Amino acid sequence: MQAMSSEFNFFQHWYPLTPVEDLDSKCPTPVTILGIRLVIWKPKSSDTYQVFLDQCPHRLAPLSEGRIDDKTGNLMCSYHGWQFDEHGICTNIPQA
Ligand code: FES
């Protein structure tokens, strides 16, 4: 008889975040699951929503406080204006 692991690993499973009807495609939405803060947002060029850590890589500000840029359709951090595309790649640093 094989020994079964009795430990359930919550981080190795999928979870629903929110009904899509509750999302506004024009602004980022914060959610927290398993103590991890996430942001759900929809790039203008995409039909699908993206989920990122709700943490700007610049100074860790919440990306959910940012907005979807009208021109690029990317997620813009509200603090210093860095922008991220649907792959999470930084596409614009205004100060650079
Ligand atoms: S903290 Fe996001 S751009 Fe600076």
Side-chain angles (χ1 to χ4, degrees):
M1 185 170 177
Q2 244 180 344
M4 288 181 55
S5 172
S6 62
E7 294 212 9
F8 182 84
N9 187 336
F10 287 91
F11 294 96
Q12 292 183 344
H13 297 274
W14 292 97
Y15 300 96
L17 294 178
T18 186
V20 75
E21 293 82 11
D22 290 353
L23 296 172
D24 180 353
S25 63
K26 295 181 190 77
C27 64
T29 303
V31 294
T32 301
I33 188 162
L34 299 175
I36 300 171
R37 292 183 309 116
L38 304 169
V39 58
I40 304 171
W41 70 286
K42 188 168 177 289
K44 259 189 180 173
S45 61
S46 174
D47 291 332
T48 57
Y49 283 88
Q50 304 296 318
V51 180
F52 291 177
L53 287 176
D54 193 8
Q55 201 174 63
C56 179
H58 180 216
R59 300 250 171 129
L60 308 182
L63 288 170
S64 58
E65 292 180 9
R67 63 181 171 88
I68 314 299
D69 185 63
D70 284 339
K71 238 190 240 173
T72 63
N74 291 332
L75 180 59
M76 176 190 278
C77 180
S78 63
Y79 286 78
H80 309 100
W82 288 26
Q83 289 191 29
F84 305 92
D85 70 9
E86 68 267 25
H87 305 292
I89 294 170
C90 184
T91 58
N92 187 30
I93 299 175
Q95 303 83 2

